[in-house]
Amino acid sequence: MILRLSNRACVLSGSARLKSTLSTYFDEMGKAGIILKSASAGIFENLALEDWIHDHVDLQNRSILLLWRNSPVVVIGRHQNPWQECNLPLMRRLGIPLARRRSGGGTVFHDFGNINMTFFTSKKKYDRHRNLKVVTSALKALRPDLDVTATDRFDILLNGHHKISGTAAKLGRTSAYHHCTLLCSVDRSILSSVLKSNTSEVIRSNATLSVPSPVKNLSDVDPTLDADTIMEAIASQFNNEFGFDSPVITVDPAHEALMPGIHKMTNDIQMWEWIYGKTPKFSVCTSLVVDDVNIKLDMDIKSGTVEKCVVEIPEDWLPPETVNEFTSALNGSKYCPNEAAVLVAAFMRTRSMSADVAGKIHRLCEGVLSVM
Amino acid sequence: MAAVITVRAPFAFMRRLVSLRLHKRCCSKVQSAYLVYRPHSYSLIAGQQQRFFRTSCVAARPVMPFKLSDIGEGIMEVTVKEWYVKEGDKVSQFDSICEVQSDKASVTITSRYDGIIRKLYYDVDSIALVGTALVDIETDAGQVEGPQEDVVETPAVSHEEHTHQEIKGLKTQATPAVRRLAMENTIKLSEVVGTGKDGRILKEDILNFIARQTGAILPPSPFQEICPPPPAPVAHSTPAAKPREKTTPPSVPTPVIPKPVFTGKDRTEPIKGFQKAMVRTMSAALKIPHFGYKDEVDLSQLVRLRSELKGLSESRGVKLSYMPFFIKAASLSLLHFPILNSSLDENCTNITYKAAHNIGLAMDTNQGLLVPNVKNVQMLSVFELAVELNRLQTLGSSGQLGTVDLTGGTFTLSNIGSIGGTYAKPVILPPEVAIGALGKIQVLPRFNHKDEVVKAHIMNVSWSADHRIIDGATMCRFSNMWRSYLENPATMVLDLK
């Protein structure tokens, strides 16, 4: 099971005994505290790893720290609205995916310059302040002059002003996890542009809103601080704080034999129905200008699907029957520009219309799609 | 009187008489029993029937308020964010009931009881106070164990753990409801394999155990009797058959295999999205009277040409497949047969001959069928076609195709052969009048002009056209011209514009 064992780290892979899972491996280790590091940079694999540990590992007498990093991705909280929180068209153009996690809280941008830490405990031992203390103490141990403090909103501030870490948590029946980010050397220009929604003003919803804060990278104040050094420091501080003596164990979240069921979990959180479909009910109310004509657009979206679509168009620009057919083509479709385009295209194919009307519908559709 | 006694199985009836426990399901039978035995008591009971059921014993399906337990960290209120159940739903213990949020923490609340949800106390987005009721659950009799309310100060979870996981002296883990089911069916928990978390024994495990024993699936009702095992195999037959069978060797007893239980269920979903678009388009296509025309194309020379040009194209940064050649050949042929690039109006009174050759490509994406088209193929070179195809493919696979790319097509080609197949019967996409489906390229033996058998790269093409305005001869001549361009790619050079 263990490929490489040094005094600080080892790698888990290729189970020789078929019945061994990660869970039984922990039982055999018999340690009260375990530090894990994910071998994957894929957000969905890592989120699935968190869920698997939360669901399958006995945390009543054990605490686990998981360290992980991802390639560029925007992660929204469980009850948030992605159209309100980030710039989806920009993300599509840049090829930055969107993920929804199971914990609450706000929206964050991850890339390799960001460290994620997840503290798994039983519900009794759930203590976010103590976990954040591990982080701040680790940073101070590395650089005693660093001014990092945790606030009562569970943020970590640098120099009392810039946010370098945000927190979210998930509580289940018997166990809980608390995870937080840590900005070491993230690309701040991408961060600020993707986390600024292009349509938030036109959305009315009760979804949890993120609280924007000025951010900074740890590398901005000390360029010698890099993610690997910081992760090592956090691992040792975790051992110190709780009196554990765990090495850092690398885990590959794609290993189905080690973690039965994790492939399905990874697939489930990539489905449109989870990422977009779990958005709480919201409505979009806006005015578009197409060909110098003012068009009022009103849509109700539930579970990411258009439940009601009303378009107010002056009758002389487009006949009402055509407009009605256009809106009924959109009714019941996912609030997604790709699907809406396909449905409108099918509508245009099966309705004979002059080139002039077709052109207007193209431009109208473009306007509607711009808010998706 | 004797008749009434035999209404219910003896054990259950005696139990009811002795302990006076009443269940809603059999209350009608109970009433008739009382009618015969103690008519005067019946009238007494009738008037107070409701109260009698509720106050005298807990077992009469009580409705328990399930209170929101302490989340920890001194939090007194949370926001209800999502309900996983609605009124009337059946829940089992540990099923998720709802999701609440407090201060960046998302909490999944799971059910304490088996039962049916009778009332939800909060709407989505309302604030729920810790310690107040979240839902009412109508439970089965005898399920109530421990305190009926959650204690606000200490996490109630620890109490649950005590009763369910750390019962002293017992190694098997099962909830009280499961234990009762096992007891009523006289099953030893140690004989049952648990499939739940940590080897916990679930209700399904007990039912499967019973099914295996009796060869039948039983509903989880506390009063169900176990059917006796099936009668001994027929091989050990009656004495009458014995004389005849004495000479035959003793037959092997027929094995009794428990009926495998298929638990799959039909699933009905509404048609929406890409499927809805396809339903709409294809239903309109039904109105077109299709005829089919198939042919075989020898692509040996084209295969050679493409392998020569591939390197050059890649040096320009574009992947070159066979499609640009197929599309360009189609466009060159359409110049000679413009009726195949036309459109018929709704009343079939006018044909519009389209000037532009906007040739559509059927594209298979992970969401379904998309048909974007390349505009004005008549003005594009083979290389430019390749560039445009790459652009459409990238947009298609990332879900970014817009309505302009998806509409305005005048003729379509479907390269189903890239996935598989030889012949097809493609469906014309309105408002077009023709479509071609290309099968896969196979290497087959063919005779050449010297009567020698040579290796040839053969592809089958299947055309469909609107027989209201296109006749077989036109389609045949178009196909022949298209074929000849591809079998002798050099001729395309002569006619390139």
Side-chain angles (χ1 to χ4, degrees):
Chain A
M1 231 247 235
I2 304 172
L3 264 194
R4 212 178 55 235
L5 186 65
S6 69
N7 57 348
R8 293 300 306 281
C10 53
V11 174
L12 279 180
S13 75
S15 169
R17 289 164 295 163
L18 292 168
K19 292 259 182 218
S20 261
T21 67
L22 197 64
S23 214
T24 51
Y25 177 69
F26 290 158
D27 291 337
E28 284 162 22
M29 268 180 85
K31 287 193 193 280
I34 299 176
I35 303 179
L36 297 174
K37 189 165 119 163
S38 171
S40 165
I43 182 67
F44 300 109
E45 291 187 329
N46 287 327
L47 288 176
L49 178 60
E50 274 189 327
D51 288 338
W52 194 94
I53 296 176
H54 180 65
D55 290 346
H56 292 94
V57 177
D58 181 5
L59 292 161
Q60 294 319 305
N61 299 312
R62 183 187 288 139
S63 298
I64 299 181
L65 167 64
L66 172 67
L67 298 164
W68 43 294
R69 288 194 284 165
N70 304 304
S71 32
V73 61
V74 171
V75 184
I76 54 175
R78 173 73 174 79
H79 308 288
Q80 291 201 295
N81 181 326
W83 290 277
Q84 263 183 324
E85 298 293 333
C86 47
N87 190 333
L88 289 171
L90 176 62
M91 285 163 61
R92 285 178 201 125
R93 282 198 298 275
L94 293 175
I96 296 179
L98 176 72
R100 180 187 295 267
R101 55 179 192 265
R102 292 192 195 272
S103 55
T107 304
V108 288
F109 171 72
H110 293 184
D111 67 19
F112 273 115
N114 168 66
I115 300 175
N116 297 301
M117 296 158 273
T118 312
F119 298 86
F120 296 90
T121 57
S122 64
K123 254 168 107 158
K124 272 181 271 184
K125 299 216 181 94
Y126 171 67
D127 185 346
R128 291 182 281 186
H129 281 300
R130 196 168 180 196
N131 296 335
L132 291 179
K133 201 168 124 205
V134 168
V135 182
T136 49
S137 313
L139 290 173
K140 290 213 178 89
L142 275 179
R143 302 280 183 273
D145 293 332
L146 213 51
D147 175 8
V148 285
T149 47
T151 67
D152 51 6
R153 279 203 80 231
F154 308 107
D155 293 337
I156 299 183
L157 298 180
L158 179 63
N159 300 330
H161 178 59
H162 288 104
K163 183 168 162 180
I164 55 168
S165 164
T167 271
K170 172 98 187 74
L171 285 82
R173 203 168 48 82
T174 53
S175 48
Y177 64 79
H178 158 219
H179 55 199
C180 54
T181 54
L182 188 62
L183 295 176
C184 302
S185 51
V186 165
D187 187 331
R188 279 184 28 214
S189 61
I190 297 192
L191 186 153
S192 48
S193 53
V194 297
L195 291 186
K196 199 179 358 204
S197 160
N198 56 321
T199 53
S200 51
E201 317 85 55
V202 307
I203 294 180
R204 279 195 312 255
S205 106
N206 284 327
T208 315
L209 280 176
S210 296
V211 176
S213 325
V215 298
K216 209 166 191 161
N217 279 314
L218 282 169
S219 61
D220 290 341
V221 294
D222 187 340
T224 60
L225 278 176
D226 69 292
D228 289 304
T229 320
I230 296 178
M231 284 201 285
E232 261 194 53
I234 292 174
S236 344
Q237 188 59 29
F238 178 73
N239 279 332
N240 285 344
E241 170 77 27
F242 293 99
F244 300 140
D245 66 344
S246 170
V248 177
I249 305 171
T250 304
V251 176
D252 176 11
H255 211 276
E256 177 77 13
L258 205 52
M259 290 167 283
I262 200 166
H263 268 164
K264 181 169 186 295
M265 286 172 138
T266 311
N267 286 337
D268 286 347
I269 53 175
Q270 288 183 67
M271 312 224 70
W272 194 95
E273 286 71 20
W274 170 257
I275 301 179
Y276 295 95
K278 280 292 183 186
T279 308
K281 201 158 68 155
F282 68 100
S283 53
V284 171
C285 192
T286 181
S287 273
L288 306 164
V289 177
V290 177
D291 291 354
D292 295 329
V293 173
N294 262 328
I295 295 171
K296 232 178 129 262
L297 178 65
D298 215 315
M299 289 191 275
D300 285 344
I301 295 111
K302 188 170 160 200
S303 304
T305 308
V306 177
E307 271 204 332
K308 179 188 96 174
C309 176
V310 175
V311 184
E312 265 179 43
I313 294 183
E315 274 188 31
D316 53 356
W317 193 68
L318 267 183
E321 317 86 57
T322 315
V323 175
N324 280 340
E325 288 206 41
F326 175 78
T327 53
S328 63
L330 288 178
N331 254 329
S333 102
K334 288 183 184 156
Y335 192 64
C336 158
N338 190 29
E339 190 159 305
V342 168
L343 285 166
V344 172
F347 150 64
M348 289 176 75
R349 255 187 205 286
T350 53
R351 264 276 147 270
S352 62
M353 50 180 69
S354 65
D356 176 52
V357 170
K360 286 179 180 166
I361 297 207
H362 276 307
R363 292 186 290 277
L364 170 65
C365 193
E366 233 173 287
V368 173
L369 261 46
S370 68
V371 295
M372 290 188 181
Chain B
M1 286 190 191
V4 178
I5 292 172
T6 55
V7 162
R8 297 290 303 176
F11 173 69
F13 185 71
M14 288 306 295
R15 194 171 133 193
R16 207 180 49 253
L17 255 191
V18 166
S19 63
L20 278 186
R21 281 174 189 263
L22 301 162
H23 290 265
K24 242 188 204 169
R25 274 184 232 121
C26 36
C27 68
S28 56
K29 294 207 166 77
V30 171
Q31 280 176 32
S32 54
Y34 276 121
L35 215 90
V36 173
Y37 276 104
R38 296 186 286 262
H40 55 278
S41 330
Y42 172 69
S43 55
L44 199 83
I45 290 160
Q48 307 168 336
Q49 203 154 13
Q50 305 292 49
R51 275 188 20 223
F52 179 81
F53 279 130
R54 288 248 180 89
T55 57
S56 71
C57 58
V58 165
R61 301 200 68 87
V63 176
M64 309 301 308
F66 173 44
K67 298 198 181 184
L68 180 61
S69 58
D70 185 24
I71 311 278
E73 292 187 334
I75 290 166
M76 296 311 295
E77 57 184 37
V78 297
T79 313
V80 176
K81 279 299 193 177
E82 190 176 334
W83 284 107
Y84 294 126
V85 297
K86 52 186 192 298
E87 290 174 13
D89 278 354
K90 198 159 187 288
V91 288
S92 306
Q93 197 173 31
F94 307 148
D95 279 353
S96 298
I97 290 207
C98 65
E99 196 81 19
V100 302
Q101 181 164 265
S102 117
D103 197 17
K104 304 183 188 184
S106 187
V107 191
T108 309
I109 306 287
T110 53
S111 176
R112 166 174 298 222
Y113 312 114
D114 288 346
I116 301 173
I117 302 284
R118 283 294 169 219
K119 182 173 172 177
L120 305 182
Y121 281 84
Y122 295 99
D123 290 327
V124 169
D125 288 329
S126 45
I127 312 270
L129 298 172
V130 170
T132 60
L134 257 187
V135 291
D136 278 345
I137 303 182
E138 184 188 294
T139 61
D140 294 332
Q143 243 198 83
V144 181
E145 80 297 325
Q148 296 184 21
E149 329 176 337
D150 290 339
V151 182
V152 178
E153 303 91 57
T154 55
V157 177
S158 57
H159 182 86
E160 267 182 36
E161 285 166 34
H162 172 75
T163 46
H164 302 148
Q165 292 177 15
E166 294 156 21
I167 297 175
K168 292 190 179 74
L170 289 171
K171 283 191 194 153
T172 48
Q173 294 180 6
T175 65
V178 171
R179 286 176 193 283
R180 203 166 50 86
L181 184 64
M183 181 193 75
E184 279 159 9
N185 290 294
T186 55
I187 292 171
K188 276 199 207 134
L189 279 180
S190 47
E191 288 173 22
V192 181
V193 177
T195 58
K197 180 177 167 182
D198 300 325
R200 182 194 301 275
I201 296 172
L202 307 172
K203 214 182 275 184
E204 289 73 31
D205 299 324
I206 305 281
L207 295 176
N208 286 337
F209 186 81
I210 296 171
R212 259 178 272 132
Q213 286 201 319
T214 64
I217 273 294
L218 308 169
S221 149
F223 284 97
Q224 191 68 34
E225 287 170 20
I226 300 176
C227 307
V234 182
H236 310 300
S237 51
T238 58
K242 261 192 190 152
R244 262 181 285 140
E245 289 182 297
K246 256 189 193 151
T247 47
T248 57
S251 19
V252 179
T254 339
V256 178
I257 301 166
K259 261 205 182 124
V261 180
F262 180 62
T263 50
K265 278 192 224 144
D266 290 349
R267 193 183 74 195
T268 306
E269 323 176 308
I271 296 214
K272 39 186 192 192
F274 276 53
Q275 269 185 335
K276 189 164 146 194
M278 204 159 72
V279 167
R280 192 178 184 146
T281 311
M282 298 308 167
S283 302
L286 264 185
K287 302 191 193 110
I288 305 175
H290 287 54
F291 77 90
Y293 176 86
K294 326 272 187 233
D295 205 355
E296 185 184 278
V297 189
D298 185 340
L299 294 179
S300 311
Q301 292 198 30
L302 184 66
V303 168
R304 228 171 294 142
L305 177 65
R306 179 186 160 246
S307 61
E308 286 168 14
L309 294 176
K310 212 167 95 158
L312 178 61
S313 174
E314 268 162 30
S315 70
R316 293 187 196 171
V318 173
K319 211 172 132 223
L320 185 69
S321 64
Y322 292 108
M323 280 314 283
F325 296 101
F326 297 150
I327 298 172
K328 191 61 186 173
S331 171
L332 290 174
S333 311
L334 284 173
L335 289 171
H336 296 268
F337 298 95
I339 197 165
L340 287 160
N341 195 55
S342 65
S343 183
L344 198 55
D345 69 4
E346 270 193 18
N347 303 327
C348 301
T349 46
N350 290 309
I351 304 180
T352 309
Y353 295 90
K354 303 273 180 173
H357 298 168
N358 298 337
I359 301 192
L361 267 313
M363 205 179 266
D364 174 47
T365 65
N366 50 15
Q367 283 160 297
L369 172 69
L370 284 180
V371 191
N373 57 83
V374 179
K375 303 278 193 289
N376 291 306
V377 175
Q378 74 279 7
M379 297 194 326
L380 297 176
S381 68
V382 170
F383 178 71
E384 286 164 348
L385 266 176
V387 170
E388 184 61 11
L389 278 178
N390 276 359
R391 181 188 77 91
L392 289 174
Q393 258 147 13
T394 318
L395 288 180
S397 52
S398 62
Q400 291 185 56
L401 280 170
T403 47
V404 174
D405 285 325
L406 289 170
T407 55
T410 57
F411 185 86
T412 302
L413 283 177
S414 166
N415 189 13
I416 189 73
S418 61
I419 305 174
T422 43
Y423 292 103
K425 184 173 181 279
V427 177
I428 300 169
L429 297 169
E432 298 165 23
V433 295
I435 184 171
L438 312 170
K440 63 179 185 278
I441 303 178
Q442 299 171 281
V443 179
L444 297 170
R446 287 286 180 273
F447 284 104
N448 67 4
H449 58 276
K450 287 191 233 156
D451 282 346
E452 294 163 339
V453 176
V454 292
K455 184 169 118 170
H457 292 86
I458 304 290
M459 180 183 78
N460 292 299
V461 60
S462 310
W463 302 104
S464 291
D466 184 340
H467 217 330
R468 293 175 293 183
I469 51 170
I470 298 171
D471 54 34
T474 309
M475 193 72 236
C476 172
R477 291 192 188 103
F478 168 82
S479 176
N480 286 343
M481 180 173 268
W482 182 78
R483 211 184 74 198
S484 71
Y485 277 129
L486 293 172
E487 290 182 340
N488 298 298
T491 53
M492 280 171 73
V493 175
L494 268 184
D495 294 334
L496 282 173
K497 285 201 215 272

